[in-house]
Structures are given as C-alpha cells and as structure tokens.
Amino acid sequence: MREKDSLISRRENIRDEVEKAFKKEGAPDASQIVASLLPEPLQIRAFFAGKQWWDLTLEGFCHDYIGDASACLTFMTPLGIDYYLPAYLLMAVERYEEGDVLTQSLAYRLSLYISKDATYRLSFLNIEKQKAIASVLQFLWDGYEDEGAAEAIEDFWGGFLRGK
C-alpha cells in the first residue's frame, strides 16, 4: 500500500507543479492556436477554440474529437502548445495507461518538438514550465518505464530536473 500512496503523492505534487508553472489563464484566440488552413489543423482549431487547458479531459478527446488527438499539438503554433501542453502533461501522469497513444506517445512527441525547436520553440518556455515538463518525463520513466521519456530526458529535459 505504501508504494501506491507514494505514487498518488507524486502525481499530486506533479499536478501542483504543472498548475503553478502553466497557470490558469484564459485561452488564446482560436486563430492563434493553429495557423494553418488545411483540413486537419482547422479541425484542431475548432475543437480547441475557447477551451481552457484545465477543462480538457481524456474522455473529451475520446468522445468529442474526431481524429488523432495525440497529433493535435503537432499542428499548433508555439502559443497553442504553450497553452494546451499542461493538459497533455497531466493526462499522461494521471491516465497514462488508459490514454493509449494520446498519453503514451507524449514523451516521444516532446523529443520531436525539441528537435524541431525553430518551429515549436519549447526551449523558449520559462524555467518553471521546463522543470514541470522534466518532472512529468521523470515520472513517466519511473512509473511506466516509458522509453520515450528516458530519451527526452537524455536529449534535453534532464538539465531541468532537481538535483542535476
């Protein structure tokens, strides 16, 4: 039971860290979330328009979004990613196994985004946000042996972990 309590406590601590880092501010205008006028990006824009990041749920993606919800961040502007990333981070921490590709591919996607930083600009996030991302990745590695998380930590995010 002690291990389960520890896992719950770590999840709560990470939720607090993510919420403090990303804050609960109003959603950007839909035109700032996705800039492309192609069909899939427009579908993403329509889904996210007016939604607060903290209101997004795994159930909402499963029932209300038509398409690959794990790819949504890929089509977003840096502002859109900055705003909606915390929802994905928390879903990965709190619903990793249930979330399938949405949660289980997040670490790989973070590596992709940082490798294409000229487009996604994750390195421009403030230090608190980068530390929160690193904490999520460390949790995914520790709790689920997510190899993508280990790679992402090695590639970039490890420098933001406490004690490094």
Side-chain angles (χ1 to χ4, degrees), residues 42-92:
L42 286 176
Q43 176 181 314
I44 292 165
R45 180 191 297 178
F47 178 78
F48 283 89
K51 287 186 172 75
Q52 311 296 335
W53 71 259
W54 57 90
D55 290 332
L56 295 175
T57 64
L58 184 58
E59 291 78 15
F61 278 111
C62 292
H63 299 295
D64 302 331
Y65 184 74
I66 300 168
D68 179 1
S70 69
C72 291
L73 292 173
T74 305
F75 292 101
M76 288 187 183
T77 64
L79 178 65
I81 292 172
D82 184 6
Y83 186 78
Y84 289 106
L85 180 58
Y88 284 79
L89 295 171
L90 293 177
M91 281 187 272

Side-chain angles (χ1 to χ4, degrees), residues 58-130:
L58 184 58
E59 291 78 15
F61 278 111
C62 292
H63 299 295
D64 302 331
Y65 184 74
I66 300 168
D68 179 1
S70 69
C72 291
L73 292 173
T74 305
F75 292 101
M76 288 187 183
T77 64
L79 178 65
I81 292 172
D82 184 6
Y83 186 78
Y84 289 106
L85 180 58
Y88 284 79
L89 295 171
L90 293 177
M91 281 187 272
V93 168
E94 296 170 352
R95 310 282 299 275
Y96 183 83
E97 292 170 338
E98 298 165 76
D100 196 31
V101 72
L102 177 67
T103 54
Q104 295 172 23
S105 70
L106 179 63
Y108 283 110
R109 290 185 183 277
L110 288 171
S111 286
L112 169 70
Y113 302 153
I114 205 67
S115 74
K116 298 180 183 288
D117 201 48
T119 300
Y120 297 106
R121 302 174 56 95
L122 290 182
S123 69
F124 289 85
L125 295 175
N126 69 39
I127 191 78
E128 291 81 17
K129 291 176 181 180
Q130 292 188 20

Side-chain angles (χ1 to χ4, degrees), residues 96-97 108 137-150:
Y96 183 83
E97 292 170 338
Y108 283 110
L137 291 168
Q138 187 65 59
F139 180 85
L140 296 180
W141 171 245
D142 293 343
Y144 301 103
E145 296 182 2
D146 183 318
E147 292 181 18

